[in-house]
Amino acid sequence: MLSFSKLLLLALVVGAVWFGWRWVARVNAIGRDRAAAKRRDSAAGPARRGSPPPPSPAGDAEDMEKCPECGAYVAPRSAVSCGRPACPYGR
């Protein structure tokens, strides 16, 4: 016999499937929009879409150093202060 709890469970299952289906459709639509935008950008050419500059040569790489004050690893030439008074990179 159908009881109220069984009907409620059936309604919850149908609702979960319905909202799940809508969510999957929305995710797929967003993916299609992103793919279309990517195709438009690639068709526009690198000069028009503001492409990033070419990668820098390997000679520009820096070794990371451990900050003696906070212990974080930082690139010495581009490091900023960690906010502690004795930080050597806050100069």
Side-chain angles (χ1 to χ4, degrees):
M1 184 102 195
L2 284 176
S3 66
F4 179 72
S5 61
K6 288 181 185 177
L7 289 174
L8 183 63
L9 179 63
L10 179 63
L12 289 174
V13 168
V14 169
V17 169
W18 174 258
F19 285 111
W21 184 266
R22 288 180 55 199
W23 178 77
V24 167
R26 188 169 49 238
V27 168
N28 287 337
I30 291 170
R32 282 192 304 270
D33 291 344
R34 285 183 181 171
K38 194 175 211 181
R39 282 193 302 272
R40 280 192 308 267
D41 286 348
S42 65
R48 296 184 76 196
R49 77 181 135 132
S51 62
S56 60
D60 290 347
E62 273 187 81
D63 287 332
M64 303 291 277
E65 293 180 0
K66 187 174 183 178
C67 175
E69 183 63 24
C70 64
Y73 284 88
V74 295
R77 287 188 287 174
S78 59
V80 293
S81 175
C82 61
R84 296 185 178 166
C87 182
Y89 302 111
R91 297 178 257 174

